[in-house]
Amino acid sequence: MSRCPIIIALDWDAFYCSVEEHFNPELKKIAFAVQQKQIICTCNYVARAQGVKKLQRLVDAVKQFPGLVIVNGEDLSRYRDASKELWYFARDMVWGGKVERLGFDELFLDVTDMIDFNMALLDNLHVAGYSRNLHSVPSFFFRMSQEDPSVGFSCQLESVAGNLATGSIPEDFEGDNLRLVLGSHLCQYIRSQILGIKGYTSSGGVSINKTLAKTAGATHKPNQQTVLFPEFAQDFLDKFDIGKIPWIGHKSKSVILDAIYKNHDPDRARDATVFNVRHLANKQLFINSLGQSSGEKLWDLLHGVDPTGVQPTPDIPTQISIEDSFRSLTSLIEVRTVLRRLSNSLLDRMHIDLMDSNGDWLGHPQTARLSTRSRSTGYYGSRSSRSDSLPSIVFSSSHSRDYILDYLVDRCWMPLFSKVIGDMKAFDIVLLNVAVVNIEKPPSKSSDITSFFGKKHHVNNDIKDGHIEEPIAKRGKLAGEYAGLGEPGFEFPLQEDEDVIYEECSYGESCVVCGQRIMSFALEAHMRFHELAE
């Protein structure tokens, strides 16, 4: 008989705030918020207790709470480094390194092998025979190492560690239920280690798949954990708005509700609970509305079915990207200035994510990709992308950062931008993204780095005797449009209107209701803010 996976979902509490408190403990005593542009992207729990809300406009929050301390969080380097450190720490405790990183502040841990190993120890001790009489179960030593029996922790198996998602304990504590009990104690141990050694609190969820574990973990916060037994999963999910179920976005929710209520009075309230949607819709309606793959997946999620396993995050990312969104970019000078700024952040990211402590490259991206979004497609429209080989000068240690940036912009990004806009005489860009992809392991130290890129048509003749040839021919049409014009003849918006540079996992978007720039991961919550206000 196959056994269900045991999945732990961890979510760092108020992560940006926790990072700031880690570096400045005095912040723990006061109400403060982290600002990105003119939005409160998050705030600590002291501030939340006073009524400060995430995603408030900065001007409104400061006016409503005069004593609120504001910390600028637009430089993501500190958060990125802390996130990576916590991921490594958690991964070291999970056999096989089966830990998936989601954004900066979430992890999924597949601890199935650890649970099954300790279940076998329980069977050998004949503890399972006492499972129906929970108070007779002795203390159990959970082993964190297969080789060293002294490494682990003691736990009491008569109850779960943490909260129950349903408020009741299953009568049957055998099989998967007992495995989840063990999982709850393992989750508590891992969280305690992270707090004790790294100083970060987290909220945890324990269940049989990623969706159930993540949903359960969000019900009791901060610094708590929740266990969801599969027999209670449907009752647990039914009370939620479908937009609260992980992976179901605002757009998908709207499409589904439109399909269900298309023949109803538009002024009538639309019940969006999982229970109501399950009973008014069916899988075919989801497929017809969202397509075969998405329709089946989202329908299954409403029933607690999530076959996607934990995908261990590799040490080296598959791609690195930086982007920014704008009200309007209509000139090549504006585009070039932005691309240079984005390129500087991209190089910083490459040095952090792809170099070891000795300054050696762990991976070399092979391809540069430029993506844009035009105003004509709308703020949620499709992107246009072009790719080319990445110039090897980005790995140079003998050229200045300014030289590398100018070379990268003029030889790579601007020609790609020319391909994107084609023959258009005028353009209006609301988003620019620069990325390096196809990251491969570097050649051995005995190899010539330029030969590694020799197969790429872009670079073999770019560098001669340490001097970079000026790309006169390649720049062509674009060069004449901005070369020799001196300083840009335009002004960027003032600080209150500027846009923060976002990671690819957190796109900057504009709210269609109020026009505010919101990170993609926060956009759905921001839309709920408008819905509640109405």
Side-chain angles (χ1 to χ4, degrees), residues 151-448:
V151 177
F153 60 94
S154 295
C155 58
Q156 302 292 328
L157 299 184
E158 68 268 18
S159 63
V160 301
N163 304 286
L164 294 168
T166 58
S168 61
I169 299 177
E171 293 183 1
D172 178 11
F173 254 43
E174 296 181 349
D176 285 336
N177 286 341
L178 181 55
R179 294 169 73 240
L180 283 169
V181 172
L182 279 175
S184 73
H185 289 282
L186 176 57
C187 179
Q188 185 176 61
Y189 175 78
I190 291 174
R191 291 175 54 244
S192 68
Q193 291 295 297
I194 293 170
L195 176 59
I197 298 176
K198 295 298 181 180
Y200 287 87
T201 64
S202 59
S203 298
V206 185
S207 197
I208 61 171
N209 62 47
K210 289 162 63 175
T211 294
L212 294 180
K214 179 177 170 65
T215 308
T219 57
H220 294 90
K221 301 177 73 171
N223 198 25
Q224 299 185 64
Q225 65 180 57
T226 305
V227 182
L228 176 57
F229 292 96
E231 61 196 271
F232 301 126
Q234 193 62 68
D235 288 340
F236 172 74
L237 294 176
D238 276 348
K239 63 185 179 182
F240 287 102
D241 183 292
I242 62 171
K244 293 283 189 179
I245 304 301
W247 332 123
I248 298 182
H250 181 78
K251 184 176 181 180
S252 297
K253 172 185 172 180
S254 297
V255 170
I256 293 168
L257 293 182
D258 287 346
I260 292 175
Y261 292 103
K262 61 182 178 180
N263 297 322
H264 288 232
D265 182 347
D267 294 329
R268 175 183 171 186
R270 307 198 303 183
D271 186 343
T273 60
V274 171
F275 177 86
N276 190 62
V277 170
R278 286 197 309 111
H279 286 80
L280 292 181
N282 53 44
K283 180 179 286 190
Q284 193 58 51
L285 180 145
F286 272 58
I287 293 173
N288 293 341
S289 302
L290 301 170
Q292 184 76 32
S293 178
S294 295
E296 288 184 348
K297 178 179 180 180
L298 297 194
W299 178 256
D300 287 344
L301 291 180
L302 298 188
H303 295 79
V305 177
D306 180 6
T308 60
V310 170
Q311 304 298 320
T313 302
D315 285 325
I316 300 176
T318 58
Q319 64 179 26
I320 298 174
S321 106
I322 299 288
E323 72 179 29
D324 203 350
S325 58
F326 314 90
R327 289 178 176 173
S328 181
L329 291 179
T330 57
S331 77
L332 289 172
I333 298 175
E334 291 176 306
V335 170
R336 187 185 188 281
T337 301
V338 170
L339 286 174
R340 198 178 192 280
R341 174 164 55 88
L342 294 179
S343 297
N344 191 51
S345 296
L346 182 66
L347 291 180
D348 286 342
R349 277 284 314 277
M350 290 174 62
H351 288 175
I352 291 173
D353 291 348
L354 298 179
M355 294 184 76
D356 62 19
S357 57
N358 297 319
D360 295 325
W361 289 95
L362 301 173
H364 283 103
Q366 304 297 295
T367 305
R369 185 188 66 211
L370 175 75
S371 302
T372 71
R373 180 182 291 152
S374 172
R375 180 174 296 280
S376 62
T377 65
Y379 282 107
Y380 304 103
S382 60
R383 300 179 177 208
S384 298
S385 299
R386 294 293 186 275
S387 299
D388 201 351
S389 298
L390 180 68
S392 59
I393 191 175
V394 298
F395 305 104
S396 172
S397 59
S398 59
H399 294 87
S400 69
R401 171 64 70 95
D402 284 341
Y403 196 91
I404 293 173
L405 288 174
D406 287 335
Y407 184 86
L408 183 59
V409 172
D410 293 344
R411 291 293 302 266
C412 185
W413 302 133
M414 292 304 291
L416 287 176
F417 184 77
S418 180
K419 293 179 181 179
V420 170
I421 63 175
D423 296 328
M424 288 189 299
K425 300 297 183 182
F427 55 84
D428 192 349
I429 302 298
V430 296
L431 180 143
L432 279 174
N433 174 290
V434 294
V436 291
V437 300
N438 297 332
I439 299 176
E440 299 179 3
K441 290 184 178 180
S444 63
K445 292 186 177 181
S446 60
S447 301
D448 182 2

Side-chain angles (χ1 to χ4, degrees), residues 121-167:
L121 297 180
L122 278 171
D123 291 339
N124 291 337
L125 294 172
H126 305 290
V127 173
Y130 299 99
S131 60
R132 294 186 183 276
N133 183 7
L134 302 181
H135 295 290
S136 67
V137 178
S139 175
F140 175 69
F141 187 81
F142 190 104
R143 281 180 51 179
M144 295 292 291
S145 169
Q146 292 175 289
E147 294 77 21
D148 188 347
S150 67
V151 177
F153 60 94
S154 295
C155 58
Q156 302 292 328
L157 299 184
E158 68 268 18
S159 63
V160 301
N163 304 286
L164 294 168
T166 58

Side-chain angles (χ1 to χ4, degrees), residues 24-43:
N24 183 7
E26 291 298 317
L27 289 173
K28 295 180 180 180
K29 306 173 185 178
I30 61 177
F32 79 96
V34 177
Q35 165 200 359
Q36 288 186 342
K37 293 307 174 184
Q38 296 309 302
I39 294 293
I40 298 296
C41 67
T42 190
C43 54

Side-chain angles (χ1 to χ4, degrees), residues 75-87:
D75 181 358
L76 302 179
S77 301
R78 180 175 288 181
Y79 311 130
R80 186 187 304 114
D81 292 345
S83 174
K84 184 185 295 187
E85 179 183 352
L86 292 172
W87 163 49

